[in-house]
Amino acid sequence: MDIKNQIDKNNVPQHVAIIMDGNGRWAEKRGLPRIFGHKNGVGAVRAATEAAGEIGVKFLTLYAFSTENWKRPKIEIDTLMNLLIETIDNEIGNLNKNDVRLITIGNTSALPKNVQTKLKYAIDKTSQGKTLTTILALNYGARAEITEATRKILTEYRNGKLDEMSLSPEVFGGYLQTAGIPDPELLIRTSGEIRLSNFLLWQLAYAELYFTPVLWPDFSKDDFFNAIVEYQHRERRFGMTSEQL
Ligand code: FPP
């Protein structure tokens, strides 16, 4: 039976988050500059988006650029930014066809102006998408996000709009950039690295973590479906015993 048919339609995660890793190594293995890895990673972004939509995932968050990625060589950063613009131009038709809404998390106001303009265009153009919301994490870092949420809470407190006893994890979550979006039930990281790298630290509290050695440019729809099947075999206990479930 092919892998897609092994998926239980009644137990598909609502939200899948992906750390797309291994582009550089993919290129280096072929004796190519790292940027070729990023260019070839775009196909995997398309595959993951389509696969998610096909099985009824409602939210897909992709870690495209972290707050730490500014430390990379300028040529690589410039290539990634241009790739983002190019990809939006090339994929906007497909996103609309597949009824996908695009949004972002992260401090996008620090991205180059032409990237901001293109993102705004894509967000507007896809705002009616209902099948899947793809969330691009750009200039995103979880610690910065949590710090910013705390800052907003302190301001509300100082203005008398929030008192300390009404602060709960649910209320706190409402100050994060993912407010209104359910937490990911599944995190996928490619390339064999086994860490979270400052990604959605609050939201991943109960997520199932799935690590695969596949390098991001090689990540296929079947790889995505495999991760879903593995997720469906996990027992999610949320602190309870097996018997209580
Ligand atoms: C990690 O691989 C990947 C990134 C930092 C960028 C992700 C970008 C893409 C997949 C392409 C464009 C994306 C969109 C949304 C259009 P790495 O460079 O850290 O790989 P390495 O660990 O092998 O060096």
Side-chain angles (χ1 to χ4, degrees):
M1 188 163 51
D2 81 355
I3 188 77
K4 191 177 174 188
N5 288 325
Q6 291 175 37
I7 294 172
D8 172 1
K9 298 276 182 306
N10 299 314
N11 185 24
V12 170
Q14 280 196 88
H15 186 170
V16 177
I18 307 184
I19 302 178
M20 310 183 287
D21 199 7
N23 292 351
R25 275 164 285 166
W26 185 93
E28 280 156 15
K29 261 177 47 183
R30 289 164 176 77
L32 297 168
R34 295 173 53 81
I35 54 174
F36 281 90
H38 299 312
K39 288 188 177 160
N40 282 279
V42 173
V45 171
R46 191 185 308 116
T49 306
E50 286 179 7
E54 282 173 25
I55 59 167
V57 169
K58 301 309 289 179
F59 298 91
L60 177 70
T61 301
L62 301 173
Y63 206 3
F65 196 84
S66 75
T67 45
E68 286 72 36
N69 284 153
W70 296 110
K71 295 177 197 152
R72 293 194 173 200
K74 185 172 179 312
I75 172 83
E76 187 170 339
I77 297 174
D78 290 348
T79 304
L80 278 168
M81 295 300 152
N82 288 333
L83 204 53
L84 201 57
I85 293 181
E86 243 177 65
T87 305
I88 290 174
D89 281 334
N90 293 336
E91 298 295 330
I92 194 92
N94 262 336
L95 293 174
N96 280 323
K97 191 177 84 194
N98 294 322
D99 196 33
V100 178
R101 173 171 74 125
L102 189 75
I103 60 172
T104 61
I105 54 172
N107 180 12
T108 52
S109 67
L111 297 175
K113 277 280 169 301
N114 58 346
V115 175
Q116 291 186 47
T117 307
K118 192 59 84 178
L119 282 170
K120 187 175 175 320
Y121 160 80
I123 291 166
D124 288 348
K125 271 267 184 217
T126 61
S127 63
Q128 297 308 310
K130 299 267 182 299
T131 300
L132 172 72
T133 298
T134 293
I135 303 157
L136 283 186
L138 288 165
N139 194 20
Y140 174 86
R143 287 183 171 182
E145 179 191 32
I146 293 169
T147 306
E148 184 55 32
T150 308
R151 194 173 289 128
K152 285 189 217 154
I153 288 169
L154 288 172
T155 305
E156 301 256 271
Y157 174 74
R158 187 157 29 93
N159 296 339
K161 292 193 181 142
L162 187 74
D163 69 274
E164 62 261 52
M165 289 323 288
S166 54
L167 187 60
S168 62
E170 291 70 32
V171 170
F172 192 96
Y175 287 89
L176 296 169
Q177 294 175 2
T178 49
I181 297 170
D183 288 341
E185 297 97 324
L186 172 64
L187 169 85
I188 299 172
R189 182 170 189 153
T190 58
S191 90
E193 305 294 349
I194 304 182
R195 56 177 168 267
L196 293 179
S197 301
N198 201 16
F199 189 44
L200 300 175
L201 297 182
W202 175 280
Q203 298 87 340
L204 292 174
Y206 280 102
E208 294 298 326
L209 309 181
Y210 178 86
F211 299 99
T212 169
V214 174
L215 302 176
W216 180 252
D218 292 329
F219 192 79
S220 64
K221 282 189 179 186
D222 276 357
D223 290 318
F224 185 88
F225 297 143
N226 257 312
I228 302 291
V229 169
E230 157 89 25
Y231 161 84
Q232 294 183 332
H233 288 126
R234 304 261 181 102
E235 185 180 71
R236 307 191 73 215
R237 290 198 293 274
F238 305 100
M240 292 180 280
T241 66
S242 293
E243 294 70 34
Q244 286 174 302
L245 290 175

